[in-house]
Amino acid sequence: MVIAALVITTLLSGVLASFLLKARDKDFAHEKTSLESLDTNEELRVLSCVYGARCARGELSLISSLSGSHGASKPFTPLLMHLVPLPKKRKSELLYHEHGEDVHVEEDFGTNESLMINDSIDSFAKDSKILIQQVKLVTQMVSMHEEICNATEDLRVNIVFLPFHKHQRIDGKTTNDGEHFRQMNRNVLRHAPCSVGIFVDRNITGFQQPHGFGSVQEVAVLFFGGPDDREALSLCKWFANNTLIHLTIIQFVPEDSQPESPIRNATTPDSGDLLIEVRGRNQTEHEADRSLLEEFHNRFVSIGQVGFIEKRVANGPHTLTVLREIGEMYQLFVVGKSRGDCPMTVRMKDWEECPELGTVGDFFASSLDVNASVLVVQKQRHSHDNFIDD
Ligand SMILES: *[C@@H]1O[C@H](CO)[C@@H](O)[C@H](O)[C@H]1NC(C)=O
Ligand SMILES: *[C@@H]1O[C@H](CO)[C@@H](O)[C@H](O)[C@H]1NC(C)=O
Ligand SMILES: *[C@@H]1O[C@H](CO)[C@@H](O)[C@H](O)[C@H]1NC(C)=O
Ligand SMILES: *[C@@H]1O[C@H](CO)[C@@H](O)[C@H](O)[C@H]1NC(C)=O
Ligand SMILES: *[C@@H]1O[C@H](CO)[C@@H](O)[C@H](O)[C@H]1NC(C)=O
Ligand SMILES: *[C@@H]1O[C@H](CO)[C@@H](O)[C@H](O)[C@H]1NC(C)=O
Ligand SMILES: *[C@@H]1O[C@H](CO)[C@@H](O)[C@H](O)[C@H]1NC(C)=O
Ligand SMILES: *[C@@H]1O[C@H](CO)[C@@H](O)[C@H](O)[C@H]1NC(C)=O
């Protein structure tokens, strides 16, 4: 017997339409969902999954940042999904027997958290004028990831955010929310038909919802190269216009590569530069990296809206040193998950506490010296079957 119920709490016509369009758009959707191919004047649809009011508040600050500055009306559709794990098969069977057919799962599971999440969303909507559609997912833990992945297709989201399975307590220490949530995250990373962001929320020492005057948040996006890093950088297009966020791109380049300025006018012919081989990555990838950096330069860096820093590193340990140096300077790091066998991160593996975050994300999430929040981004994998996973 399948005990799964998807209760749509707030269902706007847009969602309804999306269900109808689903079948027609399915093939097309795979190409369209990556953020790299999405422009800021196209609709951005994000799904934030939360299992409590605490992570809801954290993800609301992300939503608020992505939505841009107050008053700016952009095609932006944030959805929030409350995950309610059913405890045990037998228990829920009992429940159905006792109450008969019209049992209200909602009344028995996660009600308190739902109320608190509702409160957070209500006060958020008042402050920000951003309407968030709510979805509630009540299911057993074993099929949670599958339901989430299916929902991302039905709701046609570009990226799904999941909370990291550990959270920071008021005293600054870290608490584990449970290995089953970690396993769920891993499964979503493995199967999601869209991009995935794992959010390590350190709201006490790190990133906080930018509001009011004078509370500008320093955000850094680290760029080594590869599809995941490009997706992370592409997500930051939606941060760039927010006056309460100061975004800096930090590009890591191999120390022994020839000096080449990656930031230049796109109109400048640079076929000579493209012949320079970067170890560990092939020409196509390198070109894609460069053209994205160029786009950022032309749109944001050249007009001073976004900062740009280049770091030359020799190897993994050297990169670690740099990461420690910059760790204190930003409230949020946005990083791509994997980058194949990139020589700049290859010997950082000592960390290996949460390999699902990739080497750099794992360092920031696990290091006790880092106070910043972290958002680890994985690009949707469907068109990258041969991409090396670390
Ligand atoms: C961080 O989250 C905790 C738990 O939800 C909350 O009590 C606290 O007010 C938050 N702190 C900040 C600075 O937002
Ligand atoms: C949860 O709700 C129950 C009643 O529905 C209430 O007795 C209890 O105090 C609530 N717990 C919290 C933490 O709000
Ligand atoms: C949350 O709020 C919506 C409307 O704001 C309401 O329809 C829904 O019943 C609320 N859910 C809970 C669990 O209170
Ligand atoms: C998810 O979707 C697939 C294909 O549409 C379906 O076979 C599967 O049963 C769905 N899973 C759940 C848990 O609904
Ligand atoms: C930034 O804001 C301006 C005006 O508010 C708008 O024209 C522009 O499209 C926005 N850019 C992005 C990337 O959102
Ligand atoms: C980029 O192009 C603009 C206008 O086309 C020009 O003023 C500027 O000097 C160029 N910069 C570089 C570095 O070539
Ligand atoms: C280079 O990368 C592209 C895209 O990632 C891939 O299709 C191609 O097979 C790769 N070529 C080699 C020689 O690895
Ligand atoms: C992290 O924050 C704590 C408390 O605010 C501070 O004492 C510590 O020096 C910070 N560490 C780093 C590496 O910034």
Side-chain angles (χ1 to χ4, degrees):
M1 185 165 145
V2 180
I3 304 154
L6 183 66
V7 183
I8 311 294
T9 311
T10 309
L11 185 68
L12 297 187
S13 54
V15 188
L16 198 63
S18 75
F19 277 99
L20 302 174
L21 286 170
K22 184 194 161 196
R24 201 151 41 106
D25 279 357
K26 209 155 187 175
D27 294 330
F28 195 53
H30 283 307
E31 284 176 51
K32 286 296 279 181
T33 47
S34 96
L35 299 174
E36 200 184 333
S37 56
L38 192 75
D39 194 68
T40 45
N41 56 24
E42 294 174 272
E43 186 190 20
L44 173 68
R45 301 176 68 90
V46 304
L47 176 66
S48 289
C49 294
V50 303
Y51 38 79
R54 191 195 58 250
C55 35
R57 281 192 288 271
E59 300 207 0
L60 286 177
S61 52
L62 271 188
I63 288 175
S64 147
S65 311
L66 290 171
S67 74
S69 304
H70 290 240
S73 61
K74 282 196 281 182
F76 177 57
T77 307
L79 301 114
L80 190 132
M81 182 180 260
H82 181 196
L83 310 177
V84 185
L86 281 174
K88 270 199 197 93
K89 206 167 190 164
R90 265 187 58 218
K91 210 172 165 186
S92 37
E93 267 173 7
L94 252 168
L95 186 93
Y96 278 93
H97 283 298
E98 275 174 20
H99 299 280
E101 297 257 305
D102 3 293
V103 61
H104 255 92
V105 190
E106 202 183 339
E107 273 171 19
D108 299 278
F109 296 104
T111 312
N112 285 7
E113 287 293 330
S114 280
L115 290 174
M116 290 194 283
I117 290 173
N118 250 19
D119 284 352
S120 304
I121 289 181
D122 283 349
S123 57
F124 177 78
K126 273 198 206 91
D127 288 351
S128 65
K129 310 277 181 288
I130 299 167
L131 198 61
I132 295 178
Q133 300 175 26
Q134 282 189 73
V135 180
K136 189 161 169 175
L137 176 61
V138 184
T139 187
Q140 292 202 314
M141 211 58 220
V142 285
S143 56
M144 192 72 92
H145 68 276
E146 199 180 326
E147 299 268 11
I148 293 172
C149 291
N150 281 5
T152 64
E153 288 214 315
D154 294 343
L155 302 169
R156 292 188 306 136
V157 301
N158 305 100
I159 185 163
V160 56
F161 292 125
L162 299 163
F164 186 51
H165 68 283
K166 292 177 185 169
H167 76 266
Q168 188 184 38
R169 299 192 315 225
I170 299 294
D171 63 5
K173 295 213 174 71
T174 302
T175 306
N176 196 326
D177 294 339
E179 285 301 308
H180 52 291
F181 284 122
R182 179 186 193 184
Q183 198 53 49
M184 178 189 83
N185 287 355
R186 288 176 154 185
N187 286 334
V188 174
L189 282 166
R190 204 166 295 142
H191 300 290
C194 64
S195 295
V196 182
I198 306 280
F199 185 44
V200 184
D201 181 18
R202 293 194 175 111
N203 79 338
I204 293 145
T205 57
F207 186 72
Q208 287 168 13
Q209 183 177 329
H211 52 71
F213 302 97
S215 70
V216 171
Q217 298 285 299
E218 291 290 338
V219 177
V221 53
L222 308 191
F223 193 87
F224 294 85
D228 287 355
D229 282 8
R230 287 200 299 276
E231 193 72 352
L233 183 56
S234 300
L235 178 67
C236 291
K237 280 190 286 206
W238 283 270
F239 286 141
N241 227 17
N242 193 328
T243 49
L244 298 173
I245 295 218
H246 186 249
L247 179 69
T248 305
I249 303 168
I250 304 178
Q251 190 196 4
F252 288 77
V253 291
E255 204 162 59
D256 55 2
S257 73
Q258 287 189 31
E260 53 163 342
S261 170
I263 49 167
R264 68 179 66 243
N265 283 345
T267 48
T268 314
D270 55 359
S271 48
D273 289 325
L274 287 177
L275 293 176
I276 298 165
E277 191 57 58
V278 171
R279 273 183 302 149
R281 280 187 294 127
N282 77 28
Q283 205 66 52
T284 324
E285 286 290 308
H286 187 47
E287 270 176 51
D289 290 348
R290 284 181 57 97
S291 76
L292 184 64
L293 285 169
E294 274 174 7
E295 185 202 327
F296 255 81
H297 177 69
N298 293 332
R299 274 179 78 177
F300 306 113
V301 180
S302 61
I303 58 166
Q305 201 169 3
V306 169
F308 183 90
I309 297 172
E310 185 185 270
K311 295 277 182 194
R312 296 193 156 259
V313 290
N315 48 36
H318 191 179
T319 301
L320 266 186
T321 314
V322 174
L323 296 183
R324 285 204 183 87
E325 279 168 15
I326 61 175
E328 282 182 55
M329 296 159 59
Y330 301 92
Q331 272 106 45
L332 173 67
F333 287 100
V334 183
V335 301
K337 187 194 150 201
S338 341
R339 43 195 68 78
D341 49 1
C342 169
M344 293 176 282
T345 57
V346 86
R347 272 165 54 221
M348 288 174 54
K349 296 259 178 178
D350 334 345
W351 278 96
E352 280 284 288
E353 202 166 307
C354 297
E356 70 267 26
L357 299 182
T359 42
V360 178
D362 189 14
F363 166 77
F364 281 126
S366 309
S367 170
L368 299 173
D369 302 329
V370 176
N371 280 336
S373 301
V374 194
L375 179 62
V376 179
V377 176
Q378 175 189 269
K379 186 177 183 173
Q380 55 137 335
R381 287 288 153 88
H382 277 249
S383 51
H384 289 278
D385 292 329
N386 57 351
F387 187 67
I388 311 143
D389 211 36
D390 63 2

